Amino acid sequence: METETRVRRATSGAFEWPEFEAMFEERLAAEDFSDATVLDLGTGEGRLALALAPLAGRVVGLDADQESLAAARDRARELGISNVTFVPADADAANYRLLTRSRIDYVVANHFMSEAVIGATAKALRPGGRFLFACHHRDQWIESGRVGRFSFTEDAMRDLLTRAGLTVIFLGVETFTVSYAGLAEIEEAHPELAAKFRADGRWATLTERFGDGPAELTWSTLVGVAQR
Ligand SMILES: C[S@@+](CC[C@H](N)C(=O)[O-])C[C@H]1O[C@@H](n2cnc3c(N)ncnc32)[C@H](O)[C@@H]1O
């Protein structure tokens, strides 16, 4: 199994947030999606599904949120992409094969992950089919003092994939430690995240830690490729 760790520092403002993590993009670019049926879990507004559709036979984007799916369908129409469909479902409970009504060559997931999803993916992929994902690593926002429920270490993810019957081809971690002039700059750069942190108490932890001074946030993504 290949493993890789990349750690970089960046300064907010001077840092251009990528559409997808470079390590994930590289893994996607190494696959041949032509004629493939691809299922994008937690597709949201279809960012990944729409990026892959021109390369693939057919893409199905799945999400629990109807509003996001409607935005994804609008975007597909705007782009003139017709080989993608967006379906509402709970990825933790759905039978992916019934949902796509075909064999599945690839399951992909960008910043959406759970233990249930790994099990359902292992059942749904055709033999030889691949699961490519980017999800929160345990170090994501470590400064906020809390580990996210859906964040994973390399070891925990390797165990989950293997126990589900998948062969791990690649696991890597891409980490950016971003420095900010202060908490106000975090709030300005990531208003939704700041609101979430305020609601769940993590903002208080950051305030205790950084006060009025400069602040830092770690953005750490676990990237993986596994094969049925
Ligand atoms: C962080 S967003 C990522 C969206 C998208 N993959 C992207 O790269 O832009 C996570 C998405 O997962 C969806 N989601 C959360 N729980 C879900 C579930 N149980 N089943 C299906 N989708 C779910 C949310 O509605 C949201 O659109």
Side-chain angles (χ1 to χ4, degrees), residues 171-187:
L171 276 180
V173 185
E174 180 153 3
T175 300
F176 287 98
T177 307
V178 181
S179 51
Y180 300 81
L183 291 182
E185 196 182 16
I186 294 186
E187 186 144 40

mmCIF file with all atom_site columns, all heavy atoms in Angstrom, residues 171-187:
data_model
loop_
_atom_site.group_PDB
_atom_site.id
_atom_site.type_symbol
_atom_site.label_atom_id
_atom_site.label_alt_id
_atom_site.label_comp_id
_atom_site.label_asym_id
_atom_site.label_entity_id
_atom_site.label_seq_id
_atom_site.pdbx_PDB_ins_code
_atom_site.Cartn_x
_atom_site.Cartn_y
_atom_site.Cartn_z
_atom_site.occupancy
_atom_site.B_iso_or_equiv
_atom_site.pdbx_formal_charge
_atom_site.auth_seq_id
_atom_site.auth_comp_id
_atom_site.auth_asym_id
_atom_site.auth_atom_id
_atom_site.pdbx_PDB_model_num
ATOM 1   N N   . LEU A 1 171 ? -3.271  5.516  0.905  1.00 0.00 ? 171 LEU A N   1
ATOM 2   C CA  . LEU A 1 171 ? -3.790  6.410  1.953  1.00 0.00 ? 171 LEU A CA  1
ATOM 3   C C   . LEU A 1 171 ? -2.784  7.543  2.104  1.00 0.00 ? 171 LEU A C   1
ATOM 4   O O   . LEU A 1 171 ? -1.570  7.305  2.160  1.00 0.00 ? 171 LEU A O   1
ATOM 5   C CB  . LEU A 1 171 ? -3.925  5.689  3.294  1.00 0.00 ? 171 LEU A CB  1
ATOM 6   C CG  . LEU A 1 171 ? -5.201  4.879  3.546  1.00 0.00 ? 171 LEU A CG  1
ATOM 7   C CD1 . LEU A 1 171 ? -5.147  4.246  4.925  1.00 0.00 ? 171 LEU A CD1 1
ATOM 8   C CD2 . LEU A 1 171 ? -6.471  5.722  3.400  1.00 0.00 ? 171 LEU A CD2 1
ATOM 9   N N   . GLY A 1 172 ? -3.280  8.748  2.161  1.00 0.00 ? 172 GLY A N   1
ATOM 10  C CA  . GLY A 1 172 ? -2.380  9.885  2.311  1.00 0.00 ? 172 GLY A CA  1
ATOM 11  C C   . GLY A 1 172 ? -3.038  10.993 3.115  1.00 0.00 ? 172 GLY A C   1
ATOM 12  O O   . GLY A 1 172 ? -4.261  11.039 3.235  1.00 0.00 ? 172 GLY A O   1
ATOM 13  N N   . VAL A 1 173 ? -2.208  11.847 3.661  1.00 0.00 ? 173 VAL A N   1
ATOM 14  C CA  . VAL A 1 173 ? -2.729  12.959 4.454  1.00 0.00 ? 173 VAL A CA  1
ATOM 15  C C   . VAL A 1 173 ? -2.169  14.262 3.891  1.00 0.00 ? 173 VAL A C   1
ATOM 16  O O   . VAL A 1 173 ? -0.948  14.389 3.724  1.00 0.00 ? 173 VAL A O   1
ATOM 17  C CB  . VAL A 1 173 ? -2.337  12.825 5.948  1.00 0.00 ? 173 VAL A CB  1
ATOM 18  C CG1 . VAL A 1 173 ? -2.997  13.934 6.768  1.00 0.00 ? 173 VAL A CG1 1
ATOM 19  C CG2 . VAL A 1 173 ? -2.736  11.462 6.489  1.00 0.00 ? 173 VAL A CG2 1
ATOM 20  N N   . GLU A 1 174 ? -3.063  15.184 3.597  1.00 0.00 ? 174 GLU A N   1
ATOM 21  C CA  . GLU A 1 174 ? -2.638  16.501 3.111  1.00 0.00 ? 174 GLU A CA  1
ATOM 22  C C   . GLU A 1 174 ? -3.059  17.523 4.161  1.00 0.00 ? 174 GLU A C   1
ATOM 23  O O   . GLU A 1 174 ? -4.245  17.689 4.438  1.00 0.00 ? 174 GLU A O   1
ATOM 24  C CB  . GLU A 1 174 ? -3.299  16.783 1.764  1.00 0.00 ? 174 GLU A CB  1
ATOM 25  C CG  . GLU A 1 174 ? -2.890  18.121 1.215  1.00 0.00 ? 174 GLU A CG  1
ATOM 26  C CD  . GLU A 1 174 ? -2.960  18.192 -0.301 1.00 0.00 ? 174 GLU A CD  1
ATOM 27  O OE1 . GLU A 1 174 ? -3.383  17.224 -0.947 1.00 0.00 ? 174 GLU A OE1 1
ATOM 28  O OE2 . GLU A 1 174 ? -2.593  19.249 -0.828 1.00 0.00 ? 174 GLU A OE2 1
ATOM 29  N N   . THR A 1 175 ? -2.085  18.177 4.740  1.00 0.00 ? 175 THR A N   1
ATOM 30  C CA  . THR A 1 175 ? -2.371  19.091 5.849  1.00 0.00 ? 175 THR A CA  1
ATOM 31  C C   . THR A 1 175 ? -1.869  20.498 5.535  1.00 0.00 ? 175 THR A C   1
ATOM 32  O O   . THR A 1 175 ? -0.732  20.669 5.081  1.00 0.00 ? 175 THR A O   1
ATOM 33  C CB  . THR A 1 175 ? -1.679  18.583 7.144  1.00 0.00 ? 175 THR A CB  1
ATOM 34  O OG1 . THR A 1 175 ? -2.182  17.284 7.431  1.00 0.00 ? 175 THR A OG1 1
ATOM 35  C CG2 . THR A 1 175 ? -1.953  19.496 8.324  1.00 0.00 ? 175 THR A CG2 1
ATOM 36  N N   . PHE A 1 176 ? -2.722  21.459 5.771  1.00 0.00 ? 176 PHE A N   1
ATOM 37  C CA  . PHE A 1 176 ? -2.326  22.869 5.705  1.00 0.00 ? 176 PHE A CA  1
ATOM 38  C C   . PHE A 1 176 ? -2.513  23.485 7.077  1.00 0.00 ? 176 PHE A C   1
ATOM 39  O O   . PHE A 1 176 ? -3.603  23.388 7.640  1.00 0.00 ? 176 PHE A O   1
ATOM 40  C CB  . PHE A 1 176 ? -3.227  23.646 4.734  1.00 0.00 ? 176 PHE A CB  1
ATOM 41  C CG  . PHE A 1 176 ? -2.977  23.336 3.307  1.00 0.00 ? 176 PHE A CG  1
ATOM 42  C CD1 . PHE A 1 176 ? -3.774  22.430 2.622  1.00 0.00 ? 176 PHE A CD1 1
ATOM 43  C CD2 . PHE A 1 176 ? -1.923  23.937 2.630  1.00 0.00 ? 176 PHE A CD2 1
ATOM 44  C CE1 . PHE A 1 176 ? -3.539  22.140 1.294  1.00 0.00 ? 176 PHE A CE1 1
ATOM 45  C CE2 . PHE A 1 176 ? -1.680  23.650 1.298  1.00 0.00 ? 176 PHE A CE2 1
ATOM 46  C CZ  . PHE A 1 176 ? -2.485  22.743 0.628  1.00 0.00 ? 176 PHE A CZ  1
ATOM 47  N N   . THR A 1 177 ? -1.471  24.088 7.599  1.00 0.00 ? 177 THR A N   1
ATOM 48  C CA  . THR A 1 177 ? -1.652  24.892 8.810  1.00 0.00 ? 177 THR A CA  1
ATOM 49  C C   . THR A 1 177 ? -1.732  26.330 8.346  1.00 0.00 ? 177 THR A C   1
ATOM 50  O O   . THR A 1 177 ? -0.768  26.878 7.800  1.00 0.00 ? 177 THR A O   1
ATOM 51  C CB  . THR A 1 177 ? -0.470  24.692 9.781  1.00 0.00 ? 177 THR A CB  1
ATOM 52  O OG1 . THR A 1 177 ? -0.327  23.295 10.001 1.00 0.00 ? 177 THR A OG1 1
ATOM 53  C CG2 . THR A 1 177 ? -0.734  25.384 11.110 1.00 0.00 ? 177 THR A CG2 1
ATOM 54  N N   . VAL A 1 178 ? -2.916  26.907 8.520  1.00 0.00 ? 178 VAL A N   1
ATOM 55  C CA  . VAL A 1 178 ? -3.148  28.254 7.980  1.00 0.00 ? 178 VAL A CA  1
ATOM 56  C C   . VAL A 1 178 ? -3.074  29.258 9.121  1.00 0.00 ? 178 VAL A C   1
ATOM 57  O O   . VAL A 1 178 ? -3.706  29.070 10.175 1.00 0.00 ? 178 VAL A O   1
ATOM 58  C CB  . VAL A 1 178 ? -4.514  28.325 7.252  1.00 0.00 ? 178 VAL A CB  1
ATOM 59  C CG1 . VAL A 1 178 ? -4.742  29.712 6.678  1.00 0.00 ? 178 VAL A CG1 1
ATOM 60  C CG2 . VAL A 1 178 ? -4.565  27.281 6.136  1.00 0.00 ? 178 VAL A CG2 1
ATOM 61  N N   . SER A 1 179 ? -2.280  30.309 8.924  1.00 0.00 ? 179 SER A N   1
ATOM 62  C CA  . SER A 1 179 ? -2.200  31.343 9.960  1.00 0.00 ? 179 SER A CA  1
ATOM 63  C C   . SER A 1 179 ? -3.096  32.522 9.585  1.00 0.00 ? 179 SER A C   1
ATOM 64  O O   . SER A 1 179 ? -3.244  32.872 8.402  1.00 0.00 ? 179 SER A O   1
ATOM 65  C CB  . SER A 1 179 ? -0.758  31.790 10.181 1.00 0.00 ? 179 SER A CB  1
ATOM 66  O OG  . SER A 1 179 ? -0.176  32.119 8.959  1.00 0.00 ? 179 SER A OG  1
ATOM 67  N N   . TYR A 1 180 ? -3.709  33.079 10.600 1.00 0.00 ? 180 TYR A N   1
ATOM 68  C CA  . TYR A 1 180 ? -4.665  34.182 10.450 1.00 0.00 ? 180 TYR A CA  1
ATOM 69  C C   . TYR A 1 180 ? -4.209  35.321 11.363 1.00 0.00 ? 180 TYR A C   1
ATOM 70  O O   . TYR A 1 180 ? -3.615  35.066 12.427 1.00 0.00 ? 180 TYR A O   1
ATOM 71  C CB  . TYR A 1 180 ? -6.075  33.744 10.881 1.00 0.00 ? 180 TYR A CB  1
ATOM 72  C CG  . TYR A 1 180 ? -6.618  32.577 10.081 1.00 0.00 ? 180 TYR A CG  1
ATOM 73  C CD1 . TYR A 1 180 ? -6.234  31.267 10.392 1.00 0.00 ? 180 TYR A CD1 1
ATOM 74  C CD2 . TYR A 1 180 ? -7.507  32.780 9.033  1.00 0.00 ? 180 TYR A CD2 1
ATOM 75  C CE1 . TYR A 1 180 ? -6.729  30.190 9.664  1.00 0.00 ? 180 TYR A CE1 1
ATOM 76  C CE2 . TYR A 1 180 ? -8.006  31.708 8.301  1.00 0.00 ? 180 TYR A CE2 1
ATOM 77  C CZ  . TYR A 1 180 ? -7.607  30.411 8.624  1.00 0.00 ? 180 TYR A CZ  1
ATOM 78  O OH  . TYR A 1 180 ? -8.102  29.348 7.906  1.00 0.00 ? 180 TYR A OH  1
ATOM 79  N N   . ALA A 1 181 ? -4.541  36.565 10.959 1.00 0.00 ? 181 ALA A N   1
ATOM 80  C CA  . ALA A 1 181 ? -4.152  37.712 11.788 1.00 0.00 ? 181 ALA A CA  1
ATOM 81  C C   . ALA A 1 181 ? -4.791  37.591 13.166 1.00 0.00 ? 181 ALA A C   1
ATOM 82  O O   . ALA A 1 181 ? -4.243  38.027 14.176 1.00 0.00 ? 181 ALA A O   1
ATOM 83  C CB  . ALA A 1 181 ? -4.590  39.004 11.116 1.00 0.00 ? 181 ALA A CB  1
ATOM 84  N N   . GLY A 1 182 ? -5.984  36.965 13.224 1.00 0.00 ? 182 GLY A N   1
ATOM 85  C CA  . GLY A 1 182 ? -6.693  36.786 14.493 1.00 0.00 ? 182 GLY A CA  1
ATOM 86  C C   . GLY A 1 182 ? -8.002  36.068 14.236 1.00 0.00 ? 182 GLY A C   1
ATOM 87  O O   . GLY A 1 182 ? -8.304  35.684 13.097 1.00 0.00 ? 182 GLY A O   1
ATOM 88  N N   . LEU A 1 183 ? -8.779  35.897 15.302 1.00 0.00 ? 183 LEU A N   1
ATOM 89  C CA  . LEU A 1 183 ? -10.043 35.167 15.161 1.00 0.00 ? 183 LEU A CA  1
ATOM 90  C C   . LEU A 1 183 ? -11.001 35.876 14.201 1.00 0.00 ? 183 LEU A C   1
ATOM 91  O O   . LEU A 1 183 ? -11.778 35.232 13.498 1.00 0.00 ? 183 LEU A O   1
ATOM 92  C CB  . LEU A 1 183 ? -10.707 34.993 16.532 1.00 0.00 ? 183 LEU A CB  1
ATOM 93  C CG  . LEU A 1 183 ? -9.969  34.031 17.477 1.00 0.00 ? 183 LEU A CG  1
ATOM 94  C CD1 . LEU A 1 183 ? -10.727 33.899 18.789 1.00 0.00 ? 183 LEU A CD1 1
ATOM 95  C CD2 . LEU A 1 183 ? -9.784  32.658 16.855 1.00 0.00 ? 183 LEU A CD2 1
ATOM 96  N N   . ALA A 1 184 ? -10.920 37.222 14.179 1.00 0.00 ? 184 ALA A N   1
ATOM 97  C CA  . ALA A 1 184 ? -11.810 37.973 13.274 1.00 0.00 ? 184 ALA A CA  1
ATOM 98  C C   . ALA A 1 184 ? -11.536 37.569 11.825 1.00 0.00 ? 184 ALA A C   1
ATOM 99  O O   . ALA A 1 184 ? -12.461 37.473 11.013 1.00 0.00 ? 184 ALA A O   1
ATOM 100 C CB  . ALA A 1 184 ? -11.601 39.474 13.463 1.00 0.00 ? 184 ALA A CB  1
ATOM 101 N N   . GLU A 1 185 ? -10.283 37.310 11.519 1.00 0.00 ? 185 GLU A N   1
ATOM 102 C CA  . GLU A 1 185 ? -9.956  36.910 10.142 1.00 0.00 ? 185 GLU A CA  1
ATOM 103 C C   . GLU A 1 185 ? -10.479 35.495 9.839  1.00 0.00 ? 185 GLU A C   1
ATOM 104 O O   . GLU A 1 185 ? -10.888 35.199 8.721  1.00 0.00 ? 185 GLU A O   1
ATOM 105 C CB  . GLU A 1 185 ? -8.450  37.006 9.874  1.00 0.00 ? 185 GLU A CB  1
ATOM 106 C CG  . GLU A 1 185 ? -8.172  36.989 8.383  1.00 0.00 ? 185 GLU A CG  1
ATOM 107 C CD  . GLU A 1 185 ? -6.700  37.034 8.008  1.00 0.00 ? 185 GLU A CD  1
ATOM 108 O OE1 . GLU A 1 185 ? -5.829  36.772 8.869  1.00 0.00 ? 185 GLU A OE1 1
ATOM 109 O OE2 . GLU A 1 185 ? -6.432  37.318 6.829  1.00 0.00 ? 185 GLU A OE2 1
ATOM 110 N N   . ILE A 1 186 ? -10.484 34.640 10.852 1.00 0.00 ? 186 ILE A N   1
ATOM 111 C CA  . ILE A 1 186 ? -11.067 33.298 10.660 1.00 0.00 ? 186 ILE A CA  1
ATOM 112 C C   . ILE A 1 186 ? -12.555 33.457 10.352 1.00 0.00 ? 186 ILE A C   1
ATOM 113 O O   . ILE A 1 186 ? -13.091 32.836 9.430  1.00 0.00 ? 186 ILE A O   1
ATOM 114 C CB  . ILE A 1 186 ? -10.870 32.409 11.915 1.00 0.00 ? 186 ILE A CB  1
ATOM 115 C CG1 . ILE A 1 186 ? -9.377  32.110 12.122 1.00 0.00 ? 186 ILE A CG1 1
ATOM 116 C CG2 . ILE A 1 186 ? -11.676 31.116 11.804 1.00 0.00 ? 186 ILE A CG2 1
ATOM 117 C CD1 . ILE A 1 186 ? -9.071  31.127 13.235 1.00 0.00 ? 186 ILE A CD1 1
ATOM 118 N N   . GLU A 1 187 ? -13.200 34.326 11.127 1.00 0.00 ? 187 GLU A N   1
ATOM 119 C CA  . GLU A 1 187 ? -14.642 34.526 10.946 1.00 0.00 ? 187 GLU A CA  1
ATOM 120 C C   . GLU A 1 187 ? -14.944 35.104 9.560  1.00 0.00 ? 187 GLU A C   1
ATOM 121 O O   . GLU A 1 187 ? -15.913 34.706 8.906  1.00 0.00 ? 187 GLU A O   1
ATOM 122 C CB  . GLU A 1 187 ? -15.178 35.458 12.033 1.00 0.00 ? 187 GLU A CB  1
ATOM 123 C CG  . GLU A 1 187 ? -16.679 35.599 11.996 1.00 0.00 ? 187 GLU A CG  1
ATOM 124 C CD  . GLU A 1 187 ? -17.280 35.705 13.388 1.00 0.00 ? 187 GLU A CD  1
ATOM 125 O OE1 . GLU A 1 187 ? -16.671 36.391 14.229 1.00 0.00 ? 187 GLU A OE1 1
ATOM 126 O OE2 . GLU A 1 187 ? -18.330 35.099 13.615 1.00 0.00 ? 187 GLU A OE2 1
#
